[in-house]
Amino acid sequence: MLRRLFVVLAYLSFHGTAFANDAVTTFDLDNGMQVVVIEDHRAPAVVHMVWYRVGSADEPAGTSGIAHYLEHLMFKATENLESGELSATVAANGGSDNAFTSFDYTAYFQRVAADRLPRMMEMEADRMANLRLVEDDIATERDVVIEERNQRTENSPGALFNEQMRAAQFLNHRYGVPIIGWRHEMVNMSLDDAVSFYEQHYGPNNAILVVAGDVYPDDVRALAEEYYGVIPPNPAVVERDRPQEPPQLSERRMVFTDDRVAQPYVVRSYLAPERDPGAQETAAALLMLAELLGGSSATSVMGQKLQFETQTALYTSASYRGLALDDTTFNLVIVPAAGVSLQDAENAMDQVIADFMISDIDQGAMDRIKTQLRASQIYAQDSAQSQARRYGAALTSGLTVEDVQAWPDILQAVTAEDVLAAAELVFDRNNAVTGWLTNGQEVSQ
């Protein structure tokens, strides 16, 4: 690890910045589809991704889970492909494929040999325009996603707790609804629901094509024009208009009790601003705040104070994920040590935060975190898929290519004053939800 870090530092001292923008080319097709090409000729492989500017937070009320459900259904039959044929073709060509749904986007990808890119585009374009769903698909795949919820959520007290926390955090925004959906709505998902969501949101004018790997921009442009450019824009696609949060005027608290909980803990989430196009400085300061407070148990403020000095906690963390279209959250976690109550753990966490707010920030700690962030960003360039995801997730969350490329340097420019200003902004208990996950024994003490 030390040798890798030395290599990165040597690279930076010689080259200055490790994020050359020349390898990224962007253009738009006439039908409104945005295309991003990331050249990486170190291996004869390519990652082909189509990102749609629609996620679970864009679902109509009462149909939670439909975005993720449609993601599953997109692997069914089209006018030119049998059900399952797309994935079978990718596998037969030695590649891999999958898809994923978030609050703000839905994405589909294949990783194959570079000379198989035309076939990937042909199949992906086909399901963009020609999906053919039947009632049998609906019933079968509905059972699949309900079982997925059973395994990932219903069988996990922590997942159920997190779900309730988000629902309490967001009073009006759809970020408070789970991506996989509420079970009582999932069981009623119908063919009409799926077809309606597909017809409203899927089309080239609501999609971003990201191709990363052993390719050249002119070749990708020609292929994109051939396969995607012939698809007419979908007139049903409109600009996203979501219900927004009202002013949050009161802290919310909750206790989630489940007999299956082996280790109780405390979580607090604060409403926080996201990364905004052309104005990412506050988000960068919040990311630095999270790293300083709880990024590493061994070196963070919470880790040192609560885990090592006072041995109040077994584990602590602070986290911030700024990549979102709308307001996001800043989160704190403390797992109390044996004999420490949840209330005492929460009080200790609050005291550490209060002390942090009136203390000088350790500049050496900030410099170390900046070096680690820069190193992780450089390591990520070794993966074409990581690069493709970096751009696709950002663009579907409202950012631009220029924002993505500016982000590393914005992080490096964060000052101690920026961090404290961000802390003052986010640590407002009226915007917070504090939750206790317990097996019931803790609460009864």
Side-chain angles (χ1 to χ4, degrees):
M1 180 63 187
L2 289 175
R3 182 179 180 278
R4 293 184 72 195
L5 188 56
F6 174 79
V7 171
V8 171
L9 292 173
Y11 184 99
L12 289 175
S13 65
F14 184 77
H15 293 274
T17 179
F19 297 91
N21 299 339
D22 294 340
V24 179
T25 303
T26 65
F27 53 88
D28 293 339
L29 304 183
D30 290 342
N31 57 14
M33 189 175 196
Q34 185 177 3
V35 184
V36 178
V37 183
I38 306 167
E39 292 184 69
D40 183 348
H41 301 289
R42 289 174 292 180
V46 65
V47 175
H48 171 261
M49 307 188 81
V50 172
W51 298 71
Y52 291 94
R53 296 183 184 89
V54 61
S56 65
D58 301 295
E59 297 166 338
T63 62
S64 63
I66 195 67
H68 172 250
Y69 182 39
L70 179 59
E71 173 217 308
H72 280 243
L73 293 171
M74 286 286 283
F75 290 86
K76 301 299 183 180
T78 70
E79 285 187 357
N80 303 298
L81 295 169
E82 298 294 332
S83 181
E85 184 179 350
L86 187 151
S87 292
T89 301
V90 174
N93 282 273
S96 59
D97 75 316
N98 213 324
F100 47 89
T101 304
S102 183
F103 290 110
D104 297 316
Y105 52 74
T106 310
Y108 304 83
F109 70 90
Q110 303 87 36
R111 188 179 188 278
V112 293
D115 62 356
R116 303 299 196 271
L117 180 59
R119 180 57 174 153
M120 300 303 106
M121 285 199 186
E122 180 184 19
M123 293 190 296
E124 196 66 75
D126 187 35
R127 66 174 168 180
M128 174 185 286
N130 302 313
L131 188 64
R132 292 292 176 263
L133 299 177
V134 297
E135 194 64 52
D136 288 346
D137 292 335
I138 298 302
T140 301
E141 210 60 37
R142 185 171 55 212
D143 290 343
V144 170
V145 295
I146 289 173
E147 181 56 28
E148 184 177 339
R149 179 180 169 87
N150 288 339
Q151 293 179 2
R152 296 185 178 182
T153 305
E154 304 293 348
N155 289 338
S156 169
L160 290 169
F161 173 60
N162 291 338
E163 194 174 76
Q164 294 293 307
M165 284 282 294
R166 288 196 68 90
Q169 179 70 81
F170 293 96
L171 303 177
N172 194 48
H173 198 285
R174 295 285 294 182
Y175 284 167
V177 177
I179 294 170
I180 199 166
W182 298 116
R183 184 185 178 92
H184 71 283
E185 293 181 346
M186 295 171 67
V187 296
N188 294 318
M189 291 187 297
S190 68
L191 175 62
D192 288 343
D193 292 332
V195 170
S196 175
F197 199 77
Y198 175 76
E199 291 179 345
Q200 183 175 352
H201 297 289
Y202 279 59
N205 49 323
N206 205 32
I208 300 168
L209 169 64
V210 183
V211 179
D214 190 19
V215 294
Y216 294 95
D218 288 346
D219 296 337
V220 174
R221 182 189 291 268
L223 290 171
E225 292 283 5
E226 179 181 355
Y227 293 108
Y228 294 109
V230 297
I231 303 174
N234 181 354
V237 170
V238 297
E239 186 175 349
R240 292 197 268 198
D241 183 19
R242 296 165 166 181
Q244 297 297 302
E245 281 297 292
Q248 296 194 356
L249 306 177
S250 175
E251 179 182 8
R252 279 130 286 156
R253 300 187 62 88
M254 57 172 282
V255 176
F256 188 91
T257 304
D258 192 308
D259 292 339
R260 297 172 293 177
V261 173
Q263 176 60 67
Y265 56 86
V266 179
V267 175
R268 180 176 299 135
S269 65
Y270 297 86
L271 198 66
E274 76 282 8
R275 284 170 61 182
D276 287 324
Q280 302 181 91
E281 288 75 13
T282 298
L286 286 170
L287 178 58
M288 187 65 66
L289 174 65
E291 291 295 323
L292 285 166
L293 282 176
S296 165
S297 294
T299 59
S300 67
V301 173
M302 289 174 61
Q304 288 179 333
K305 297 292 185 182
L306 299 174
Q307 294 178 239
F308 295 102
E309 291 184 15
T310 65
Q311 297 184 339
T312 303
L314 297 175
Y315 171 79
T316 59
S317 75
S319 61
Y320 168 74
R321 185 179 181 274
L323 198 58
L325 190 64
D326 298 308
D327 281 350
T328 182
T329 58
F330 188 101
N331 304 292
L332 303 172
V333 178
I334 178 168
V335 179
V340 178
S341 70
L342 291 177
Q343 186 62 67
D344 287 343
E346 182 183 340
N347 292 343
M349 180 180 72
D350 285 339
Q351 187 61 56
V352 169
I353 301 302
D355 292 343
F356 177 86
M357 299 291 289
I358 59 174
S359 302
D360 292 334
I361 291 178
D362 182 350
Q363 187 60 49
M366 282 193 64
D367 292 341
R368 182 183 65 251
I369 291 168
K370 288 180 179 182
T371 300
Q372 292 170 342
L373 290 172
R374 182 70 88 177
S376 67
Q377 290 158 349
I378 293 172
Y379 298 152
Q381 291 188 309
D382 288 339
S383 168
Q385 187 154 329
S386 293
Q387 287 289 80
R389 290 187 70 139
R390 176 174 167 235
Y391 280 91
L395 296 177
T396 48
S397 299
L399 299 176
T400 65
V401 169
E402 292 73 22
D403 291 321
V404 175
Q405 294 171 343
W407 180 242
D409 289 335
I410 291 174
L411 285 172
Q412 295 300 309
V414 173
T415 66
E417 291 76 18
D418 296 332
V419 172
L420 288 175
E424 289 282 358
L425 173 68
V426 78
F427 289 144
D428 179 354
R429 294 288 284 269
N430 286 333
N431 289 336
V433 179
T434 303
W436 291 7
L437 177 64
T438 176
N439 54 23
Q441 298 177 13
E442 169 71 34
V443 176
S444 64
Q445 290 179 355

